[in-house]
Amino acid sequence: MDANFFSTNIAKYSTYEEYLDEHITQQDLFYLEDQDVAREIVELRYKGKDLLSRKQFEEAKKRALHGPRTTKKKTEKICSYGKDLSQYPLLYALAKREVLVRDGKLSTIIFIRDVDKHTGHEISGYIDYAHRLKTDDFEDYFSRKKKLMPKPTDLSYYNWKTQTLRYNNSSTFQVIADSERGLLFKHRRDRKTIDVDPKSSDPGFNSTRKNIKTNEYLQCVLYEHHPRRR
């Protein structure tokens, strides 16, 4: 195995499944119609060539994250610290979960439906809280300088006026559009599925659904999943 085996690029993958997904082609998904089967095919196709085994992946990731070339880990800022958000139900709920989500002990999907003040269009979407914490400065949201709203880059985004629909996988969840069950989100670490159908009595294993009563949005729901360590 050459020096690239321990490339720090491996650190960008949260799980081995996410690493395999990078090698799955659209043609694979078209013919197989199953993400798990596609991963198995990829493992067999590249076995002994350019693809790392699960054991090699874990070794490479550990080396990339903790090897001598890695700088000291930067302490993450807790954006909600010291802020009184008791009058803002959604922000208050997110603040209570911020540390757990950053630590990976809790995975939270935020559903928001509201009117975009810039366009006047009603929009809705599912937001991966962990992903947004990494890509957005939540200091602006917790300080109420900005209003948290769905984006076209979130897990899902729908503009009810233009009927624009977007789906995106994140580092935490894989989006599944099931013809019978509707929209589902599969957790990448423990591969458990979260059912966000409001008519469903059970969102899934180790998952809960919590409606947030607030005057700031037309509708807010938190879907929470406690991932199991594999």
Side-chain angles (χ1 to χ4, degrees), residues 199-225:
K199 297 179 181 178
S200 176
S201 59
D202 182 11
F205 183 79
N206 274 359
S207 299
T208 59
R209 182 180 191 271
K210 180 179 178 61
N211 291 303
I212 304 296
K213 296 181 180 180
T214 175
N215 294 323
E216 294 185 279
Y217 297 93
L218 295 176
Q219 186 180 6
C220 279
V221 183
L222 296 184
Y223 294 89
E224 301 191 295
H225 179 69

Side-chain angles (χ1 to χ4, degrees), residues 13-227:
Y13 303 108
S14 299
T15 64
Y16 185 62
E17 286 70 29
E18 185 177 340
Y19 168 69
L20 289 179
D21 288 346
E22 287 288 309
H23 295 79
I24 296 175
T25 66
Q26 289 299 316
Q27 189 176 28
D28 291 333
L29 292 175
F30 178 80
Y31 287 108
L32 297 172
E33 297 182 343
D34 188 290
Q35 190 88 5
D36 294 334
V37 174
R39 287 169 178 158
E40 293 177 7
I41 296 298
V42 165
E43 283 191 84
L44 292 173
R45 180 190 300 161
Y46 292 100
K47 188 175 182 181
K49 297 180 182 178
D50 299 325
L51 190 78
L52 302 180
S53 68
R54 184 180 294 274
K55 182 178 180 180
Q56 289 172 329
F57 171 83
E58 295 297 340
E59 291 175 352
K61 185 175 180 182
K62 184 177 180 180
R63 177 72 175 270
L65 291 173
H66 305 295
R69 291 179 298 171
T70 305
T71 57
K72 186 176 181 181
K73 184 178 179 181
K74 182 180 178 181
T75 302
E76 288 187 298
K77 178 179 66 173
I78 305 303
C79 298
S80 59
Y81 181 76
K83 296 178 175 61
D84 181 8
L85 300 168
S86 57
Q87 301 302 310
Y88 312 101
L90 177 60
L91 294 178
Y92 181 72
L94 295 180
K96 289 172 61 178
R97 294 157 173 81
E98 183 182 1
V99 173
L100 290 175
V101 171
R102 287 189 184 276
D103 289 345
K105 297 178 181 178
L106 177 69
S107 298
T108 301
I109 297 174
I110 310 164
F111 173 76
I112 289 177
R113 180 171 65 89
D114 203 18
V115 176
D116 187 324
K117 68 177 183 179
H118 300 292
T119 64
H121 298 173
E122 182 176 322
I123 62 174
S124 61
Y126 292 89
I127 301 168
D128 178 355
Y129 186 22
H131 177 74
R132 280 289 202 100
L133 282 171
K134 294 176 183 176
T135 59
D136 282 10
D137 184 357
F138 257 73
E139 183 75 29
D140 290 338
Y141 297 124
F142 286 126
S143 299
R144 302 186 67 249
K145 295 178 182 178
K146 292 182 180 179
K147 185 176 182 179
L148 181 63
M149 292 287 285
K151 297 180 180 180
T153 52
D154 283 316
L155 290 172
S156 82
Y157 170 90
Y158 185 63
N159 184 311
W160 292 82
K161 176 69 174 180
T162 63
Q163 297 187 343
T164 300
L165 177 64
R166 297 283 186 273
Y167 291 136
N168 302 283
N169 294 328
S170 71
S171 59
T172 314
F173 295 101
Q174 174 194 344
V175 181
I176 301 174
D178 189 278
S179 58
E180 295 184 359
R181 298 177 62 190
L183 192 61
L184 305 169
F185 298 103
K186 180 185 285 189
H187 197 277
R188 290 186 180 274
R189 185 193 302 168
D190 64 10
R191 303 170 77 174
K192 301 300 181 183
T193 301
I194 298 177
D195 186 349
V196 295
D197 184 349
K199 297 179 181 178
S200 176
S201 59
D202 182 11
F205 183 79
N206 274 359
S207 299
T208 59
R209 182 180 191 271
K210 180 179 178 61
N211 291 303
I212 304 296
K213 296 181 180 180
T214 175
N215 294 323
E216 294 185 279
Y217 297 93
L218 295 176
Q219 186 180 6
C220 279
V221 183
L222 296 184
Y223 294 89
E224 301 191 295
H225 179 69
H226 294 269

